[in-house]
Amino acid sequence: MATQGTQEIAEEAARVAVGILGGTGDEGRGLARRLAMAGNRVIIGSRDAGRAAGAAATCGSPPQVTGAVNEEAARAADVVIVAVPWEGHADLLTRLASALEGKIVIDCVNPMAFDSHGAYPIPVPEGSAAQQAAAVLSGSTVVGAFHHVSAPLLLDPDVSELDMDVLVLGDDRHATDLVQALAERIPGVRGVYAGRLRNCGQVEALTCNLVSVNRRYKAHAGLRVTDI
Ligand SMILES: NC(=O)c1ccc[n+]([C@@H]2O[C@H](COP(=O)([O-])OP(=O)(O)OC[C@H]3O[C@@H](n4cnc5c(N)ncnc54)[C@H](OP(=O)(O)O)[C@@H]3O)[C@@H](O)[C@H]2O)c1
């Protein structure tokens, strides 16, 4: 299939309704807030409808931002972001596989844990959280993105531009182009294609390095890729 032009894909990204599974957490609310500010319709998902509605009210107002249980959020959206902790990832996606069929699913989950030395990556049998999602969601197109976008920055009302690249990984050119364009709706962000889904493990694990950077330098570090 011929690839779409930049303008065309940007227009498509502007039209998509974005569902966020686990959208009541910091990362989900942060992405919801920024995408709603950019003009996208957002449906915040939760295991509890009341919590979803409460979180939605902090990110915008209906009909642009609404809350629903995760399954409804998945069904109502064109593109769905998975923003739950690694512990709930496989179970939730297995239960929602039919609701997510035919959709682009963006996985930002970082399988990691903490001990007295800081953060470290948890080995994933499938290779990465995104590959696990792809294995569970055979009817969806899975893309990895937003792994390094810090929730405190997304939620900070004093931060108007994020000044970072978002690495986007996946096996479908239209889906990665669309997710790059969606990321770029957040001011200051550039979406950068960073390879096939099989290379998502090291991108997820790199978050542990950024956690160390953040602790040492008291920062919310992001990434920039040079020479492109
Ligand atoms: N925080 C960051 O800066 C950041 C940055 C990049 C990527 N991420 C990734 O984004 C994901 C979410 O991060 P977060 O900090 O927002 O996490 P979080 O606040 O701990 O969790 C997000 C939401 O997931 C739901 N949830 C919790 N346990 C669940 C389970 N077992 N099954 C299904 N849903 C569950 C909860 O919503 P309900 O109780 O309302 O259902 C919760 O509000 C993580 O995988 C993380 O690695 C985080």
Side-chain angles (χ1 to χ4, degrees):
M1 193 177 86
T3 54
Q4 284 170 286
T6 312
Q7 179 64 24
E8 211 180 319
I9 202 86
E11 285 168 11
E12 186 181 349
R15 284 193 304 269
V16 294
V18 181
I20 307 185
L21 308 180
T24 54
D26 285 350
E27 185 68 6
R29 275 185 304 110
L31 289 170
R33 179 172 172 274
R34 297 286 170 170
L35 291 171
M37 283 164 72
N40 285 90
R41 186 170 161 243
V42 178
I43 308 106
I44 290 190
S46 167
R47 290 168 294 183
D48 178 89
R51 268 202 302 278
T58 69
C59 298
S61 38
Q64 196 196 4
V65 184
T66 52
V69 291
N70 285 319
E71 182 171 350
E72 268 178 52
R75 289 195 192 281
D78 305 303
V79 170
V80 178
I81 299 175
V82 187
V84 295
W86 166 241
E87 296 69 39
H89 185 259
D91 277 0
L92 181 73
L93 295 184
T94 303
R95 280 194 298 104
L96 297 188
S98 83
L100 291 167
E101 231 173 272
K103 319 235 170 192
I104 292 175
V105 175
I106 305 172
D107 205 305
C108 73
V109 172
N110 296 308
M112 58 192 233
F114 292 83
D115 64 13
S116 60
H117 298 291
Y120 63 95
I122 297 172
V124 179
E126 294 85 349
S128 63
Q131 285 168 287
Q132 181 185 82
V136 169
L137 305 174
S138 56
S140 310
T141 304
V142 175
V143 172
F146 298 114
H147 302 94
H148 308 137
V149 183
S150 138
L153 287 183
L154 288 168
L155 289 167
D156 188 339
D158 294 328
V159 174
S160 53
E161 293 209 358
L162 259 64
D163 186 23
M164 64 178 66
D165 289 339
V166 165
L167 302 184
V168 177
L169 297 95
D171 299 336
D172 179 283
R173 178 67 191 261
H174 169 255
T176 56
D177 283 354
L178 183 68
V179 175
Q180 283 176 252
L182 189 66
E184 291 185 358
R185 292 183 58 70
I186 302 174
V189 169
R190 182 176 62 162
V192 175
Y193 172 71
R196 299 263 175 171
L197 219 52
R198 68 181 182 181
N199 279 318
C200 210
Q202 55 269 31
V203 171
E204 295 170 7
L206 186 61
T207 307
C208 298
N209 303 81
L210 291 177
V211 169
S212 302
V213 170
N214 290 343
R215 285 190 170 179
R216 174 69 56 93
Y217 300 101
K218 312 273 177 267
H220 297 297
L223 292 181
R224 278 293 191 200
V225 178
T226 59
D227 203 31
I228 50 167

